[in-house]
Amino acid sequence: LDDGDAERLTELLEPLHAADIADLLEQVDDDTRVDLVRLYGREFDGEILTELDEGIREEVIAALHPEVLSDAVRELDTDDVVDLIEDMEEDQQAAILDVLEDVDRVAVEQSLTYPEETAGRLMQREMVVAPEHWNVGEAIDYMRAQDGLPDQFYHVILIDPRLRPTGYVTLGRIMSSPRSVKLAQITEDSFRTIPVLQDEGDVAYAFNQYHLISAPVVDADDRLVGVITIDDAMAILDEEHEEDILRLAGVGEESAISDRVIETTRRRVPWLAVNLVTAILASLVIAQFENVIAGMVALAVLMPIVASMGGNAGTQTLTVAVRALATKDLTSANVWRVVRREVMVGLVNGLVFAVVMGLVGWVWFSAPMLGVVIALAMVVNLVVAGLAGVAVPVLLDKLGIDPALASGAFVTTVTDVVGFFAFLGLAAAVLI
Amino acid sequence: LDDGDAERLTELLEPLHAADIADLLEQVDDDTRVDLVRLYGREFDGEILTELDEGIREEVIAALHPEVLSDAVRELDTDDVVDLIEDMEEDQQAAILDVLEDVDRVAVEQSLTYPEETAGRLMQREMVVAPEHWNVGEAIDYMRAQDGLPDQFYHVILIDPRLRPTGYVTLGRIMSSPRSVKLAQITEDSFRTIPVLQDEGDVAYAFNQYHLISAPVVDADDRLVGVITIDDAMAILDEEHEEDILRLAGVGEESAISDRVIETTRRRVPWLAVNLVTAILASLVIAQFENVIAGMVALAVLMPIVASMGGNAGTQTLTVAVRALATKDLTSANVWRVVRREVMVGLVNGLVFAVVMGLVGWVWFSAPMLGVVIALAMVVNLVVAGLAGVAVPVLLDKLGIDPALASGAFVTTVTDVVGFFAFLGLAAAVLI
């Protein structure tokens, strides 16, 4: 690269998949990246752009020669172009739309009229349809005679005269059926349509739940407007999971390892600020018992243990609950059973660790009553952790707030406050 | 259901997908579930079994009439049977294998010879292959003449005379190409084979990274032994994510909302025990400063704030790092840049919250030096949190330990110990 040897670079990158080149670009430092992109030049493939993290993508686009960029974009499928430009500024968008062919531009522009993160943004317009009354022979002859079949398709979608999809037939099934068989007789059971305004997360859920390979997208009048394929659904599933994990940890959902310091800081500060408030709340509880602690400093030594165990138990429960909500395994039908179960788990765990900590407290400070106090506080806090761990996410979900995002702060506030209050309050009552 | 009205039940369940019936079975209580399964009886579909959580699945199998079970299993694809029986006791396995047809039984038994969680367990044997020298016409005639084509297939796999796959052609491409075109000329660029012993997580990663729809599986001699399709890869991707989330929260990886109290407790206790040990370690640090606290109880009130902020910042960093390791975005090529970045983020966040907490500490306790102490401790702990948040997962990964599983405990131990030590140590030096 230092020698500016473009040929050697092309030779090295040639055998790599676009996704791997994108990963490479994400991992090198900023200067190297610009040099690499400039040097790679004409060979630059549009697919690399779609694979890049957003932050890096903008830099790479800025570094590309306009002509190279046009060529790269023109090669892409319309759904990839939508993905590429939906977060751009308007003038940048317009510049890219300008280089597209007319048909593609109309398709991209229409996709952009649907709200972000809906099926309308995910779907592609390239598809193969047939009237529902055709037989296998007619379908085969039609496909054989067509010039512009999509590169990749797996189903022939059957439509009625009003353009509403009524079923689909796999290419494999068409291949293995006699010419005289009606297409309508060999449709797949798994057939279901997706409303064009459906949230992309629900689309991914449907693909995973019903093992779909592709699914027709319909408008409000049930008319066919596009098709979504499983590879796009898989990418969304991957993204949604990523977001859930990052939200649970209180990291902005679009965080990437390649972000800059200042962006990363900006994303993480809000969550740390929330945590600071909850930590101060817990400290206010402790402050109520200053005299008790002054009378017995051992309490200050042991109190973080009770809070920490409660926080961990609460996090365990809330993670399971948040996941169960996301996968629709936790519904109003079983919520009371789940609450009861988590409280029981909290009670059993509380008893186990009450015994352990009771002994530790007793032996460490030679004060049997201190052991009793920490044991009781442990039981109380782990039961509360179980209760809050389910109740908080379920309530947030009912209120329309993403439980993955906000549950952690609430649950640890509860377990900190209850933990310190139970431990220091019991100590005040029993020991002083 | 109470009336034992089997017909009405069948009518209600008939329009539901197997996956939805499985969800329903997971959500009702134990007695209702057994009643439901018994009443549904003959209509019971094998696919429902493959969709059930493991714990529930065993119960349902126990409740099913043996004949119904045999019928249900016989309908399944071989890869689903493998999935169903791989965790069963040997005698149960043998009972199910007995009801299968010979061809299927051999296929299932052979799959079971591969280690768990490898490509060999995921693949199906139903596939369509063609010699690499064939043209489109020959492929079409061959498929049209075949009786036993798989229900679902998307590619024709090309093999050389030694049974090694050399490429694949989509059915769509075959449909849109003239009969005289050689199959070898219209193969997909995305072609790659999967070693039969590859970890299933890596298989899912490859499908997602390279947008594969199906991929041939090869043995150690590169000979074709089966094929994995994207729907199975998507299910694995979903599972792996689920495991990562649950591991990060310290919940046993196969936890489900439908598990019993005792199982759940057994899964969560080890992690809580680890947390107890780390909490006690932190308490030992506090115990070193008992005299300091006795001299100024305000320290006991404020110290959990420093530890809590460090714990949160550490969790943010480690979550991003664990995800980046899983998606192969964090490699030895950029690890130093990432460490430097996280330390910088910790420093900036530390300075922000140092100012805030310095003011809070000063105003609350009217002690400016207490404000200075907590501010300094905050900076130290957030920098350490950034460092530990990257270093711990990377080191665990290098040692071959799953970073999602163990990083949390290590990082919070570090931030608790450093937090308490920095705050109380500085207080001892400055205030006393």
Side-chain angles (χ1 to χ4, degrees):
Chain A
L1 191 60
D2 285 332
D3 304 339
D5 187 346
E7 253 175 63
R8 177 100 184 89
L9 180 71
T10 307
E11 212 172 280
L12 281 172
L13 295 183
E14 182 64 43
L16 292 183
H17 189 280
D20 290 329
I21 298 180
D23 282 351
L24 180 73
L25 286 173
E26 283 167 12
Q27 283 177 27
V28 297
D29 66 39
D30 293 359
D31 296 338
T32 318
R33 188 179 308 127
V34 172
D35 289 348
L36 211 89
V37 169
R38 296 238 163 96
L39 197 55
Y40 197 35
R42 309 231 135 259
E43 308 291 326
F44 198 90
D45 185 342
E47 270 186 52
I48 301 174
L49 286 179
T50 63
E51 303 282 350
L52 282 170
D53 278 343
E54 241 168 77
I56 303 284
R57 193 194 281 169
E58 281 171 33
E59 274 178 59
V60 171
I61 288 179
L64 278 175
H65 193 280
E67 254 177 63
V68 177
L69 181 61
S70 318
D71 284 350
V73 170
R74 229 173 286 148
E75 285 165 19
L76 292 174
D77 282 343
T78 56
D79 56 334
D80 289 333
V81 178
V82 172
D83 182 44
L84 190 64
I85 72 174
E86 62 182 357
D87 298 313
M88 287 185 177
E89 312 271 320
E90 258 184 49
D91 51 332
Q92 260 194 307
Q93 261 190 18
I96 290 200
L97 283 173
D98 271 350
V99 309
L100 291 178
E101 285 163 41
D102 287 347
V103 193
D104 287 348
R105 187 172 57 243
V106 171
V108 170
E109 281 172 344
Q110 193 164 3
S111 267
L112 287 174
T113 63
Y114 297 110
E116 273 188 62
E117 311 204 338
T118 61
R121 292 277 180 114
L122 279 182
M123 67 189 185
Q124 58 191 55
R125 270 132 211 292
E126 296 87 1
M127 52 190 167
V128 178
V129 297
E132 54 185 345
H133 58 78
W134 275 13
N135 63 28
V136 169
E138 285 170 298
I140 292 180
D141 294 341
Y142 166 77
M143 284 188 277
R144 300 292 298 158
Q146 280 289 305
D147 236 5
L149 286 181
D151 283 354
Q152 301 255 356
F153 71 104
Y154 316 104
H155 290 113
V156 173
I157 301 169
L158 304 188
I159 49 172
D160 69 11
R162 303 179 57 185
L163 293 181
R164 288 180 302 209
T166 57
Y168 54 32
V169 182
T170 64
L171 284 183
R173 186 77 69 152
I174 289 178
M175 278 293 181
S176 56
S177 301
R179 290 183 64 93
S180 61
V181 170
K182 289 270 179 210
L183 291 179
Q185 284 166 1
I186 51 172
T187 56
E188 296 292 306
D189 286 343
S190 67
F191 174 75
R192 53 187 66 217
T193 59
I194 290 183
V196 71
L197 294 179
Q198 188 167 63
D199 177 75
E200 62 179 17
D202 293 334
V203 174
Y205 173 83
F207 270 82
N208 195 29
Q209 171 87 345
Y210 304 117
H211 308 287
L212 306 177
I213 297 297
S214 76
V217 179
V218 294
D219 65 13
D221 299 326
D222 277 340
R223 276 190 308 253
L224 184 67
V225 290
V227 64
I228 295 178
T229 50
I230 187 174
D231 51 328
D232 294 321
M234 189 176 187
I236 295 294
L237 187 78
D238 192 45
E239 257 176 47
E240 295 269 317
H241 271 294
E242 190 81 17
E243 280 179 21
D244 273 356
I245 292 181
L246 295 176
R247 279 186 194 150
L248 276 169
V251 193
E253 49 198 84
E254 288 188 356
S255 299
I257 204 93
S258 54
D259 287 344
R260 286 160 201 297
V261 170
I262 193 70
E263 268 173 86
T264 309
T265 310
R266 201 167 41 73
R267 286 206 170 110
R268 294 192 196 168
V269 161
W271 177 257
L272 289 174
V274 170
N275 182 61
L276 185 65
V277 173
T278 77
I280 290 177
L281 269 178
S283 290
L284 286 173
V285 174
I286 303 173
Q288 304 308 309
F289 298 95
E290 276 193 61
N291 295 333
V292 186
I293 295 173
M296 191 174 191
V297 180
L299 296 176
V301 174
L302 292 178
M303 66 183 189
I305 298 180
V306 178
S308 156
M309 291 297 281
N312 263 273
T315 304
Q316 290 181 330
T317 303
L318 91 85
T319 305
V320 173
V322 166
R323 291 309 305 150
L325 284 169
T327 57
K328 303 182 190 180
D329 286 336
L330 176 56
T331 61
S332 48
N334 61 350
V335 64
W336 288 112
R337 216 151 353 100
V338 171
V339 168
R340 211 162 53 220
R341 189 188 72 125
E342 287 298 330
V343 170
M344 278 301 298
V345 170
L347 187 64
V348 175
N349 281 339
L351 291 173
V352 170
F353 290 103
V355 173
V356 176
M357 266 322 290
L359 290 173
V360 170
W362 179 11
V363 172
W364 189 350
F365 295 95
S366 328
M369 282 315 285
L370 186 59
V372 171
V373 166
I374 198 166
L376 284 176
M378 192 73 89
V379 174
V380 170
N381 208 20
L382 291 200
V383 169
V384 169
L387 188 61
V390 184
V392 169
V394 168
L395 287 178
L396 288 173
D397 192 51
K398 279 245 180 297
L399 295 174
I401 302 170
D402 180 359
L405 193 58
S407 295
F410 283 105
V411 171
T412 48
T413 307
V414 171
T415 53
D416 276 0
V417 167
V418 170
F420 289 132
F421 190 82
F423 179 59
L424 297 174
L426 279 167
V430 174
L431 295 173
I432 307 292
Chain B
L1 191 62
D2 285 333
D3 303 341
D5 187 347
E7 255 174 60
R8 177 100 186 88
L9 179 72
T10 307
E11 214 172 277
L12 282 171
L13 295 182
E14 182 64 44
L16 293 183
H17 189 282
D20 291 327
I21 299 180
D23 283 350
L24 180 74
L25 286 174
E26 283 167 12
Q27 282 177 29
V28 297
D29 66 37
D30 292 359
D31 295 337
T32 317
R33 187 180 307 128
V34 171
D35 289 349
L36 212 90
V37 169
R38 295 238 164 98
L39 197 55
Y40 197 36
R42 307 233 137 258
E43 308 292 326
F44 198 91
D45 185 344
E47 269 186 49
I48 301 174
L49 286 179
T50 62
E51 303 283 350
L52 282 170
D53 279 343
E54 241 169 78
I56 303 284
R57 194 193 278 169
E58 280 172 33
E59 275 177 59
V60 171
I61 289 179
L64 280 174
H65 193 280
E67 256 177 61
V68 177
L69 181 61
S70 319
D71 284 349
V73 170
R74 229 172 286 148
E75 287 164 18
L76 293 173
D77 282 342
T78 55
D79 56 335
D80 290 332
V81 178
V82 171
D83 181 44
L84 191 64
I85 71 174
E86 62 182 357
D87 298 313
M88 287 184 178
E89 312 270 320
E90 259 185 50
D91 50 334
Q92 260 193 306
Q93 263 191 15
I96 290 199
L97 283 172
D98 270 349
V99 309
L100 291 176
E101 285 163 41
D102 286 347
V103 192
D104 288 348
R105 186 170 59 242
V106 172
V108 171
E109 281 172 343
Q110 194 164 2
S111 267
L112 288 174
T113 62
Y114 297 111
E116 273 188 63
E117 313 204 337
T118 60
R121 292 279 179 115
L122 280 182
M123 67 187 184
Q124 57 191 57
R125 271 132 210 293
E126 296 88 0
M127 52 191 167
V128 178
V129 297
E132 52 185 346
H133 58 79
W134 274 12
N135 63 27
V136 169
E138 285 170 300
I140 292 181
D141 294 342
Y142 166 78
M143 285 188 276
R144 301 289 300 157
Q146 279 289 306
D147 236 4
L149 287 182
D151 284 354
Q152 302 256 357
F153 71 104
Y154 316 103
H155 291 113
V156 172
I157 301 167
L158 303 188
I159 48 172
D160 70 10
R162 300 179 57 186
L163 294 181
R164 289 179 302 209
T166 57
Y168 55 31
V169 183
T170 65
L171 284 184
R173 186 78 70 152
I174 289 179
M175 276 293 181
S176 56
S177 302
R179 291 184 62 94
S180 61
V181 169
K182 289 270 180 209
L183 292 179
Q185 283 165 3
I186 50 172
T187 55
E188 297 290 307
D189 286 344
S190 66
F191 175 76
R192 52 187 65 218
T193 58
I194 291 184
V196 71
L197 293 179
Q198 188 167 62
D199 176 75
E200 60 178 18
D202 293 334
V203 174
Y205 173 82
F207 270 82
N208 195 30
Q209 172 89 344
Y210 304 117
H211 309 285
L212 306 177
I213 298 295
S214 76
V217 179
V218 295
D219 65 14
D221 299 326
D222 276 339
R223 275 189 310 250
L224 183 67
V225 290
V227 64
I228 295 178
T229 50
I230 186 176
D231 53 325
D232 293 322
M234 188 175 186
I236 294 295
L237 186 78
D238 192 46
E239 256 176 48
E240 295 269 317
H241 271 295
E242 190 80 19
E243 280 179 20
D244 274 355
I245 292 182
L246 296 176
R247 278 187 195 149
L248 277 169
V251 193
E253 50 198 83
E254 289 189 356
S255 298
I257 203 92
S258 54
D259 286 345
R260 285 160 201 298
V261 170
I262 194 70
E263 267 173 86
T264 309
T265 310
R266 200 169 41 74
R267 286 204 171 111
R268 295 194 195 165
V269 161
W271 177 258
L272 289 175
V274 170
N275 182 61
L276 185 65
V277 173
T278 76
I280 290 176
L281 269 178
S283 290
L284 286 173
V285 174
I286 303 174
Q288 305 308 307
F289 297 95
E290 274 192 63
N291 295 333
V292 185
I293 295 173
M296 190 176 194
V297 180
L299 296 176
V301 174
L302 292 177
M303 67 182 187
I305 298 180
V306 178
S308 158
M309 292 296 283
N312 263 273
T315 304
Q316 291 181 330
T317 304
L318 91 84
T319 304
V320 173
V322 166
R323 290 309 305 153
L325 285 169
T327 57
K328 303 182 191 178
D329 287 335
L330 176 56
T331 61
S332 47
N334 62 349
V335 65
W336 288 112
R337 214 149 356 98
V338 173
V339 168
R340 210 162 53 222
R341 189 188 72 126
E342 288 296 332
V343 169
M344 278 302 296
V345 170
L347 187 62
V348 175
N349 281 338
L351 291 172
V352 171
F353 290 102
V355 172
V356 177
M357 265 322 291
L359 290 174
V360 170
W362 180 11
V363 173
W364 188 351
F365 295 96
S366 328
M369 282 316 286
L370 186 59
V372 172
V373 165
I374 197 166
L376 285 176
M378 192 72 89
V379 175
V380 170
N381 207 22
L382 292 201
V383 169
V384 169
L387 188 62
V390 185
V392 168
V394 168
L395 287 178
L396 288 174
D397 192 51
K398 280 244 180 300
L399 295 173
I401 301 169
D402 180 358
L405 193 59
S407 295
F410 282 105
V411 172
T412 48
T413 306
V414 170
T415 53
D416 277 358
V417 166
V418 171
F420 290 131
F421 190 82
F423 180 59
L424 296 175
L426 280 167
V430 174
L431 295 173
I432 307 292

